[in-house]
Amino acid sequence: MAQWVYAFGNGAADGTAAMRSLLGGKGANLAEMSNLGLPVPPGFTITTEVCTHYYANGRHYPDGLRNAVDSALARVGDLIGARFGAPANPLLVSVRSGARVSMPGMMDTVLNLGLNAETAEGLAKLTGDSRFAYDSYRRFIQMYANVVLGLEHGLFEEILETEKEAKGVELDTELDAGDLERIAALYRQRVEKDTGRPFPEDAREQLWGAIGAVFGSWQSPRAKTYRRLHNIAEDWGTAVNVQAMVFGNRGDTSATGVAFTRDPSTGEKILYGEFLLNAQGEDVVAGIRTPQPVSKIVRERQNSRRPSMEEVLPAAYAELKGVCEKLEAHYRDMQDVEFTIQDGRLFMLQTRSGKRAAEAALKIAVDMVHEGLIDQNLAIARVDPNSLDQLLHPTLDPSAPKELIATGLAASPGAATGEVAFTADETEKVAGEGRSVILVRTETSPEDIHGMHAAKGILTARGGMTSHAAVVARGMGRPCVSGAGALKIDAAEGSMAVGAEVIRRGDIITIDGTTGQVFKGAVPMRQPELTGDFGTLMGWADSIRALKVRTNADTALDASTARRFGAEGIGLCRTEHMFFDGDRIVAVRQVILADDEQQRKAALSKLLPMQRGDFIEIFRMMEGLPVTIRLLDPPLHEFLPQKEEEIADVARAAGTSSAKLRARAIALHESNPMLGHRGCRLGITYPEIYEMQARAIFEAALEVEEGGSSPVQLEIMIPLVGFKRELDFLKARIENVAAAIQEQRGKRPTYLIGTMIELPRAALRAGEIAETAEFFSFGTNDLTQTALGLSRDDAGVFLTEYLIKNLIARDPFVSIDTEGVGELVRLACERGRATRPGLKLGICGEHGGDPDSIRFCHQAGLDYVSCSPFRVPVARLAAAQAALSSPRDPD
């Protein structure tokens, strides 16, 4: 018979940390902490298998679950000497979610469950503290009504604020027991008014309502969005953790908090966290009150006058510090812990590997190797390649003038400039129009997840370093300033005031998540410097990866950027991008308008020196590293103007009439240009175009070599080949150009001629094509389009629905479809190398910078991946992780 419930607490547990898939991360770690003998309130975990059963069986629980829960609940009561639902000595519990991987703020929690009018009175008598009892009761009603009954949190905040205003106080802690008992009654009245039913008084009805709400939150819109953004499988499900309550709201010797065993922004080895006296855990993470630092050193750095936990509760702080050191040594990773102090006694409520900024991830990984906690391979595996994006983009120029308007907490590093938006929906809309946005909120909530993802940065007036905004922003790599208390935000009016300064919707601000500063207007940025821990980790990664990493670069600037990030060559130089500059586009249009080959060659002669100059700059920048140049690919009509005034300008420059130009554009128009007259087809119908490009390439290579530079490793790539004879025809024309140059100059450069594999037929006939091609580069953008019958420009309309409905796991244009497109790649590799052993194989589509696609490329036996310059470090680290975790196909 299946075991649906696993107990923990009192120095023992049914589970261990290795059981994350069954118990969820929180349940597995609660079990592990119990087994380590740490002070964990007793409880039990309902497994993820129950969640799976729940959704597979019309939201019904498996047989035997209720009995198992009753037994586990009785055990918890026995351990702490209380009984669930008993008026005199009530057992109160928390009900929390716990997925396999952390999803901060995405699913639901209920605290103080088991309270009703009778048990609240019994709790007051038992503890001798009526204020504490009714504070806990009103909190429970508010949380249960929101999480289980679906009422808005703000309805109850309005009642609370009204009562505080009536009494003339500002803080919740200034309300007495009578005030709180009255507020609890008002809360119950509001529940009955809005739901048509009394607030549930029966403790077991409350419990099963909360369990159902936690399982239900797995399919909430915000959880679905988070899973989609973080590639978390829907069928994993969540566990439910039911745990005896401990109370941080028992007075000034009680507290609640969150701490990291190292600074999650910098990686520094200090106990870093926040706490609130006389509060419950949700007060910290929800950002409702701005908390105080745990450590004295952090308080001093923040210039805070409010005392730290180290100063207010020194004994509890010392115990917490020891527990954190033990947990970090046990898990061999930086931990994020939640704790409660009840009447001076420490209780641990959770531990997990802490989310961290990219800079911190690098430092922690490198430092732990030096400390002997982990080895180099584990350090490489620990850092998320995608997180390196946080390090690769500009930060504020320290010498630039700035107009500081506010200061908050440095919640997530990096800097961002953008228009101010006050709601998540507004942020998503403006970002969708291609503009940079800063999401400004009093505090964020899980419902803001889509806006936070769309924003360039996040600014909040309330909340601390462990608030929802801070944790989610760090996970997403978004700069964030939180707790900027000077801001007076009026979202309805679309404005925020900072003293006399008023910033309105659409105004530009700049935030610096590294310093916590907010500036009016745009502030100049500076390029990052990748040294220190970054260089150390990248060095370790480079020593073990099998895949080379090249870049997609069309200019010397792109090439320079990529070299700085560690690129080992250019895997795709798109020559058509060189044609769109001012004077060049006129010459290109003259080529298109030419009536015959002679006119076309005359126009091409104007482009030849321009192309040659471009290639000279790129070859010099690459200093002998391989450079793959793709000959002209897009349809000619893309170069023609569309507006009447542009047509007139081009006609004048070309010495022809607007009517002729318009007629030429109509003649070149195609219904489906991506499958039309482009790539090698263009070179076959107008071979003089490819001949001009070949001459420019060869002459540039010779000029660079004659100037004393390293020999150019030249690879000429012919696009969109589907038939071997296409490649044969064009290779012969290119070789004729090389022969002509040798005759003229007495030498020719060394080069390879290959092709892009971007059509299913090319993949299927790769063995034959390899008789001519000296290398293959997989153009997976087009190969995905042609294999799946999808237009990349149009598929977004419905692919989102496919993702939401779990019909596909990933967008195939973001991460390669390993089963379909991947099968074509493997087939082409196998057949190509069967014909030409040692055939060089690479990938140059957008997938070349995606870690999951890079793992596939490693497994398929490719020689290199090529990606945009800023993705080069991502690819280097991902390639190393692939080498550690995945076998390669034989060459």
Side-chain angles (χ1 to χ4, degrees):
M1 183 176 177
Q3 183 176 348
W4 304 116
V5 173
Y6 285 71
F8 60 82
N10 198 37
D14 294 340
T16 68
M19 300 170 70
R20 296 177 65 89
S21 297
L22 182 66
L23 303 180
K26 186 174 295 183
N29 287 329
L30 284 168
E32 192 75 1
M33 286 196 294
S34 297
N35 290 329
L36 289 171
L38 298 180
V40 176
F44 56 90
T45 300
I46 302 172
T47 70
T48 58
E49 290 179 349
V50 174
C51 184
T52 303
H53 183 284
Y54 180 76
Y55 282 107
N57 293 274
R59 299 192 177 227
H60 288 94
Y61 297 114
D63 293 339
L65 178 64
R66 289 182 182 272
N67 289 338
V69 167
D70 285 345
S71 297
L73 202 56
R75 174 187 177 273
V76 174
D78 290 343
L79 287 173
I80 68 168
R83 190 161 60 87
F84 192 59
N89 186 19
L91 167 64
L92 304 183
V93 298
S94 63
V95 180
R96 301 173 186 262
S97 64
R100 190 184 305 187
V101 296
S102 176
M103 296 172 59
M106 292 303 106
M107 292 186 296
D108 289 329
T109 294
V110 178
L111 304 181
N112 307 324
L113 191 143
L115 281 173
N116 54 36
E118 286 188 338
T119 56
E121 185 178 350
L123 184 64
K125 292 177 179 177
L126 180 70
T127 61
D129 189 344
S130 296
R131 189 197 180 281
F132 152 70
Y134 286 105
D135 182 48
S136 300
Y137 187 27
R138 67 95 185 170
R139 288 171 180 272
F140 166 61
I141 297 169
Q142 180 172 355
M143 190 172 287
Y144 192 93
N146 176 241
V147 170
V148 182
L149 304 180
L151 300 185
E152 288 294 329
H153 181 81
L155 296 174
F156 303 95
E157 285 296 311
E158 288 176 10
I159 295 171
L160 181 64
E161 291 300 320
T162 299
E163 291 298 307
K164 287 194 294 186
E165 187 176 333
K167 191 171 182 179
V169 300
E170 291 186 9
L171 303 176
D172 301 359
T173 51
E174 295 175 284
L175 297 171
D176 61 27
D179 300 325
L180 294 167
E181 184 176 7
R182 182 174 63 257
I183 289 169
L186 291 172
Y187 281 5
R188 291 199 309 272
Q189 291 172 19
R190 186 59 192 248
V191 170
E192 186 164 3
K193 176 185 175 184
D194 286 7
T195 66
R197 297 179 59 191
F199 187 84
E201 295 287 297
D202 181 76
R204 276 179 167 71
E205 180 185 349
Q206 294 174 358
L207 177 62
W208 285 100
I211 290 170
V214 171
F215 282 139
S217 68
W218 179 251
Q219 293 293 358
S220 69
R222 65 178 187 259
K224 288 180 178 179
T225 298
Y226 190 92
R227 288 201 298 273
R228 189 169 70 250
L229 294 176
H230 294 271
N231 303 314
I232 297 171
E234 183 175 337
D235 60 4
W236 284 0
T238 183
V240 176
N241 297 287
V242 179
Q243 189 173 19
M245 281 294 303
V246 286
F247 298 95
N249 59 332
R250 287 287 298 269
D252 290 340
T253 59
S254 298
T256 188
V258 176
F260 296 86
T261 57
R262 304 192 186 212
D263 187 326
S265 290
T266 68
E268 183 182 1
K269 192 176 181 181
I270 56 172
L271 186 58
Y272 191 95
E274 296 170 327
F275 83 111
L276 283 170
L277 282 171
N278 196 18
Q280 289 198 325
E282 290 301 301
D283 296 343
V284 179
V285 298
I288 294 170
R289 289 166 57 186
T290 298
Q292 300 156 242
V294 165
S295 300
K296 180 181 177 182
I297 187 173
V298 176
R299 178 189 66 76
E300 291 171 344
R301 289 177 183 178
Q302 293 178 353
N303 295 317
S304 173
R305 296 179 181 178
R306 305 172 73 194
S308 66
M309 178 178 157
E310 184 176 1
E311 295 162 300
V312 175
L313 299 169
Y317 172 83
E319 185 180 3
L320 175 66
K321 192 169 186 292
V323 167
C324 286
E325 289 170 354
K326 184 173 184 177
L327 286 170
E328 184 174 276
H330 179 75
Y331 283 99
R332 299 193 301 156
D333 195 9
M334 185 262 276
Q335 295 296 290
D336 167 6
V337 303
E338 294 179 15
F339 62 90
T340 286
I341 300 163
Q342 178 176 304
D343 296 327
R345 183 180 175 191
L346 176 70
F347 293 92
M348 302 305 297
L349 305 182
Q350 175 167 283
T351 190
R352 60 190 174 192
S353 293
K355 292 187 180 297
R356 63 209 75 179
E359 179 184 352
L362 289 171
K363 179 172 178 56
I364 291 168
V366 172
D367 284 355
M368 284 188 169
V369 171
H370 294 154
E371 293 164 17
L373 274 178
I374 61 176
D375 61 20
Q376 291 182 10
N377 287 354
L378 186 52
I380 290 167
R382 278 271 172 82
V383 179
D384 176 7
N386 282 318
S387 73
L388 298 182
D389 264 345
Q390 297 177 38
L391 303 177
L392 306 180
H393 296 284
T395 54
L396 294 186
D397 182 348
S399 63
K402 308 176 188 71
E403 184 178 346
L404 181 68
I405 57 174
T407 301
L409 299 175
S412 183
T417 294
E419 300 178 23
V420 169
F422 292 98
T423 69
D425 289 344
E426 179 188 343
T427 300
E428 190 173 50
K429 179 178 181 294
V430 175
E433 294 168 358
R435 308 202 303 272
S436 297
V437 194
I438 306 296
L439 175 61
V440 179
R441 303 283 280 159
T442 301
E443 71 254 352
T444 63
S445 72
E447 282 72 23
D448 293 324
I449 183 73
H450 59 295
M452 297 175 75
H453 185 253
K456 293 294 184 185
I458 299 155
L459 170 63
T460 68
R462 292 206 295 249
M465 298 293 293
T466 52
S467 65
H468 176 265
V471 171
V472 174
R474 282 196 294 270
M476 288 182 169
R478 301 291 188 275
C480 177
V481 175
S482 65
L487 300 181
K488 305 300 179 186
I489 296 170
D490 188 336
E493 289 294 321
S495 67
M496 68 175 181
V498 191
E501 187 78 55
V502 178
I503 304 294
R504 302 191 184 280
R505 178 183 289 113
D507 290 349
I508 302 295
I509 63 170
T510 298
I511 64 170
D512 188 343
T514 305
T515 65
Q517 294 175 309
V518 184
F519 304 96
K520 183 179 179 180
V523 177
M525 306 279 182
R526 69 173 183 174
Q527 296 299 318
E529 295 184 14
L530 304 177
T531 55
D533 296 323
F534 177 90
T536 299
L537 190 80
M538 286 294 106
W540 296 341
D542 290 342
S543 71
I544 64 171
R545 61 182 167 88
L547 282 169
K548 297 289 186 182
V549 177
R550 300 191 190 183
T551 190
N552 301 338
D554 310 325
T555 66
L557 178 60
D558 288 344
S560 173
T561 301
R563 287 290 308 277
R564 189 157 46 89
F565 291 150
E568 298 164 298
I570 291 177
L572 176 63
C573 177
R574 294 159 287 207
T575 55
E576 62 272 5
H577 288 185
M578 303 171 177
F579 287 160
F580 284 99
D581 288 344
D583 55 344
R584 303 184 184 199
I585 193 66
V586 175
V588 172
R589 287 164 176 166
Q590 288 175 335
V591 172
I592 298 169
L593 290 168
D595 291 321
D596 54 38
E597 183 178 339
Q598 184 176 353
Q599 288 184 7
R600 201 155 33 247
K601 285 185 174 180
L604 286 167
S605 68
K606 299 177 184 178
L607 288 171
L608 175 62
M610 301 175 188
Q611 285 254 281
R612 184 171 55 231
D614 292 330
F615 295 135
I616 287 171
E617 288 184 5
I618 289 172
F619 292 153
R620 283 177 176 159
M621 182 57 63
M622 297 311 292
E623 297 180 308
L625 293 174
V627 178
T628 305
I629 299 173
R630 184 181 72 186
L631 300 183
L632 191 66
D633 184 34
L636 288 180
H637 82 271
E638 288 192 6
F639 296 100
L640 290 180
Q642 304 300 319
K643 297 179 180 178
E644 285 299 321
E645 58 270 25
E646 292 178 344
I647 291 174
D649 290 343
V650 173
R652 261 193 313 275
T656 188
S657 68
S658 295
K660 179 179 178 180
L661 181 59
R662 198 178 299 108
R664 184 66 170 150
I666 292 171
L668 288 171
H669 174 76
E670 297 176 285
S671 298
N672 191 349
M674 292 307 295
L675 296 179
H677 191 190
R678 54 169 288 217
C680 68
R681 301 159 191 173
L682 199 61
I684 289 168
T685 52
Y686 302 117
E688 55 273 13
I689 295 177
Y690 277 15
E691 289 170 350
M692 179 279 291
Q693 290 193 295
R695 177 170 287 275
I697 293 166
F698 291 148
E699 290 179 351
L702 288 175
E703 183 168 332
V704 168
E705 291 174 1
E706 288 166 357
S709 296
S710 301
V712 176
Q713 289 192 53
L714 180 57
E715 298 170 359
I716 297 176
M717 184 160 64
I718 298 172
L720 213 71
V721 164
F723 298 85
K724 175 179 177 292
R725 289 183 181 180
E726 293 172 320
L727 186 58
D728 291 339
F729 177 88
L730 291 169
K731 183 176 182 179
R733 303 299 285 250
I734 293 168
E735 290 181 334
N736 287 342
V737 174
I741 288 175
Q742 182 168 21
E743 186 174 337
Q744 294 164 4
R745 303 179 63 154
K747 58 182 174 179
R748 69 165 78 188
T750 302
Y751 62 92
L752 300 176
I753 294 178
T755 186
M756 292 185 82
I757 302 294
E758 48 194 331
L759 297 175
R761 189 183 196 282
L764 294 171
R765 302 300 298 166
E768 180 185 26
I769 292 172
E771 294 172 7
T772 301
E774 296 168 292
F775 66 88
F776 287 168
S777 180
F778 292 94
T780 50
N781 297 341
D782 276 348
L783 188 58
T784 297
Q785 293 195 101
T786 54
L788 299 184
L790 294 175
S791 165
R792 182 173 57 166
D793 296 331
D794 303 317
V797 175
F798 56 85
L799 279 183
T800 301
E801 286 298 313
Y802 274 55
L803 291 165
I804 291 171
K805 293 172 180 173
N806 206 31
L807 300 176
I808 56 175
R810 298 284 303 278
D811 183 331
F813 293 107
V814 173
S815 192
I816 196 166
D817 164 32
T818 57
E819 295 175 345
V821 175
E823 183 69 16
L824 289 171
V825 171
R826 287 186 185 274
L827 191 65
C829 293
E830 178 185 330
R831 293 183 178 180
R833 282 181 168 162
T835 297
R836 187 185 290 267
L839 177 71
K840 187 183 293 187
L841 302 171
I843 183 175
C844 62
E846 291 298 317
H847 298 111
D850 169 61
D852 289 340
S853 302
I854 290 167
R855 185 185 307 109
F856 167 79
C857 293
H858 169 85
Q859 293 168 342
L862 271 63
D863 296 300
Y864 68 87
V865 297
S866 187
C867 57
S868 64
F870 281 94
R871 297 296 287 181
V872 167
V874 174
R876 290 166 64 193
L877 182 56
Q881 291 179 349
L884 288 172
S885 64
S886 307
R888 275 169 71 85
D889 288 353
D891 291 349

